[in-house]
Amino acid sequence: MKLLLYPCLILILIACQTKKDQKVPEMITTSFYVGTYTDGTSQGIYKYALKKNGELVNIGLAVISENPSFLAFSNDKKYVIAVNEISNKDTVGTVSSFLIKGDSLQLVNTASSGGAHPCHISINNQNFITTANYTGGNVGLLHLNTKGVLSDLLDVQQHTGKGTTERQEAPHAHSSWFVPGSNELIAVDLGTNELWFSELDVSEKKLQTSSQKKLKMNDGAGPRHLVIHPNNKWVYVLNELNGTITLVQKNEEGIYEKGVTISTLPEEYTAYNSSADIHISSDGNFVYASNRGHNSIAIFKTNPTNGELTIIGHEPTRGDAPRNFSLSPDQQHVLVANQNSNNIISFTRNSETGLLTFVDEIEAPKPVCILFQ
């Protein structure tokens, strides 16, 4: 009797193992890092995973770091670069480089960001790095070598001027963006209410002012972030203070011109709002923007002829103050970091309609940046 049972048990185990193996592809994951503010329970940069079905998994603390509020990868994706948004207005912020070692990050070195409160970091295909220093009102330039070592500060682009509101009493550089396939840099200054244009001189390792130095946004707009359409002709500027997106178009002479502006909010909404982040789908068909106050992701369809946007919906973020969000590498999901409610929300994304559907929620301490691996 026992002799007959053993083959049966073996067959059952094989069958179970086969079923288990068949389920593995459904659980394929992609990992992502989360930058945070560390004035509460957070200790630094955390690592999470996104399952293929949209579920979220907390892997754990990757490294202890002070206010690593915005993150970027080196070109070879061996290093994570973070700005340390130091809270003292009189203290110059820093940039840190971390080597990726499994699920952990190991500090390589730290350098000056060039100004107080660095809140955004950008990196080009030659590993040149720019930092947007909010309180400093300037953009710092550094370089990362092949061993992940940050250079000393190479250059600083200091902004001057002011806008028309209480938040715009002085320059407040909020982000900077390399235009794909070029050495052109667009810096976004909420305080001066302008886009600042420059060219990276690789040989001199300096930021040189472009022939078109600046482009002013609508009074009181307060530009914060931008996204560039895949055709490199259309730029969508997210304005924090008045909750709008302004289309900026590059003409045949290479000059940027301001186009149509559209609200990120429903017409009937009149309460407080502060827009935070903007992204575009890889096919260029949909633009998404986050609203803090209304606590939503605004969803827009792009016009393929002229780049203008049409609002098609608002998806509640199921949390407070959606500071940052990101589309997954396969474009199938959107993850939203709700800073004040300490959670990250996962949505599936319909690539045909652009609409979002809630999937999962996970705790995260003061999340302010999501960076997919």
Side-chain angles (χ1 to χ4, degrees), residues 4 6 42 49 53 59 62 82 88 100 106 128 149 171 180 214 217-218 228 236 243 248 258 262 272 275 352 355 369:
L4 291 173
Y6 288 138
S42 174
N53 62 7
I59 296 174
N88 187 334
I100 298 173
Q106 179 179 304
F128 279 96
V149 177
K214 298 183 289 186
M217 295 294 101
N218 297 336
I228 301 171
Y236 299 98
V248 172
K258 189 171 60 176
I262 186 171
Y272 170 82
S275 298
E352 297 298 322
L355 299 178
C369 181

Side-chain angles (χ1 to χ4, degrees), residues 288-289 291 294-299 313-318 322 336 345 347-348 354-358:
Y288 300 85
N291 290 306
H294 189 249
N295 290 334
S296 66
I297 299 296
I299 307 168
H314 292 86
E315 181 65 36
T317 62
R318 297 171 178 258
V336 181
I345 304 297
F347 297 97
T348 56
L355 299 178
L356 308 178
T357 302
F358 170 74

Side-chain angles (χ1 to χ4, degrees), residues 10 23 57 62 94 136 178 204 210 214 221 226 230 268 307 312 319 361:
I10 291 171
K23 290 182 180 180
V57 178
T94 58
F178 286 104
E204 295 293 327
S210 300
K214 298 183 289 186
L226 62 76
E268 66 276 8
I312 58 175
E361 174 182 356

Side-chain angles (χ1 to χ4, degrees), residues 50 94 107-108 123 146 153 166 171 202 224 288 315 332 348:
L50 171 68
T94 58
L107 179 66
V108 178
I123 188 165
T146 56
L153 192 66
E166 292 181 358
V202 176
R224 177 186 173 98
Y288 300 85
E315 181 65 36
Q332 297 302 304
T348 56

